[in-house]
Amino acid sequence: MRRKVTLFFVFLLSINLFSQENKKSIFLNSQAQVKDYFIAASEMIMVDLFVYDFNNLFLSSKPIQTSFSVFKQNLSSPWIFDNSSFKRNQLFHPYFGALYFLSGRSNNLNFTESFLLSTMGSFLWEAYLEGPVSSLNDFITTPAAGAITGEILHRLSFSVYDYSPFLSWVLSPVDGINQLLRNSRAITPRGKIYSFSTSILSGFSIYDATYDSLLTPGLGAALNVIYNNPYGHASKELYDQFTLDLYYSFWPENQLFKMNMDGLLYSIPIYPTEKALSNIAVSFDYNVLYGSNITLSNSSLGLCLMQSFGDKEKNQVNYCVQTDFVYLSTSDIFYLLKNNNTNYEKPFKQAPYTYKYGPEIKFSFEFFNSLFGNLSFKCASEYLFTYKNSTNDEELKTDLLIFTADASYEHKIFNNYYGGIRNLFILKNEYRNSIQINRNIINNTDLYIKILY
């Protein structure tokens, strides 16, 4: 039955595409200039059906049963915080949310319309296609983190198209498929890549005694993309400025993956001058940390003040002060992970993490000098509380204090090559009834070579 439904939507999609053959403005121009809500909705449904079939074929031991009675049950029953794996909830769900979102953006829907489409796709999946249990955290993460991920992929796909159409398709396969079907691309988003760099790392990791691992050598890589200058930025479109920061390092027994997707939902300049750029902005961020002894994800919305002084060719100072509300955080329960208890059973099956919320403060400072070099410092502090209905075990309803500091110094070697040193420090304190019950530390020091493109 599900395959028939999939084929039906493929048929409707093809009819709608080829019925537009007489609309010369779409096929003869290099860019399609109209919004197509029908194709966008059809592709969103096809993404849901594809994931449904993929789950049944490769991931589920038995087929997921869906019916209208299950749909009615899910609408009338309370939705829960699920216990799926961290990777599935915090990496896969945002990506499939991005595919929903891209179904809209690749058909010229704006950010808001595509976000609503992603929400509809998530609702259809949770209420009907996933079976008799609907997940509240996935319904939040999929469209919210999916919108951030999707907008970044959409804009980067257009930015790299002239250099590598293949990479453009890899970044946004939905944009690529629609371009192939229509023989034209969606409207190019406003803006361009402001800065893009890659780094190769070599250093060592210091862990505290609770993990019994000190001075472990390792290798790694990093990537940083800044889309539009964030300082003095005046928004033309929602989320038309963002920073993508990826960091991965590995050692014989440990690894650390860090992903920061920080963007401005809306930004207004404040009295810009030739030597000073200032703006106040609404931030919309999604960050993931996947380490050997700290696992964390944050979805947040906040307000920030950003200022830049001087000339980057000679001397420049940038800083940003930001306050956020973390509306959904996922944090591991370390003492369960350390004992390899992937299924915690007290009093029921519990994933080794809980869902939290709370305030967050961020600060960043950058100093550029043509002779001295570049100095950068970023820190963030957050205090998180456990959602009461995310676990039935009072023992797991803990508070968290997370502190992150990322400092680096680099100097130009020649042309666009830089050499530098970077230290990443992460502290997690866990409290129950105001008493500290656990502490974890990650401290990575790396020497790196960076290429600025």
Side-chain angles (χ1 to χ4, degrees), residues 13-14 17-18 27 39 43 169 174-184:
L13 178 61
S14 63
L17 283 169
F18 291 107
F27 281 87
I39 295 181
E43 289 176 346
W169 275 52
V174 183
D175 273 299
I177 292 172
N178 278 317
Q179 178 185 341
L180 177 65
L181 294 175
R182 278 202 175 98
N183 196 28
S184 61

Side-chain angles (χ1 to χ4, degrees), residues 35 90 141 145 178 195 276 321 354 365 375 377 414 439 449:
K35 298 182 180 182
Q90 311 310 321
T141 299
N178 278 317
S195 173
V321 179
T354 55
F365 173 84
L375 179 66
F377 175 75
F414 65 92
R439 167 177 285 189
I449 298 295

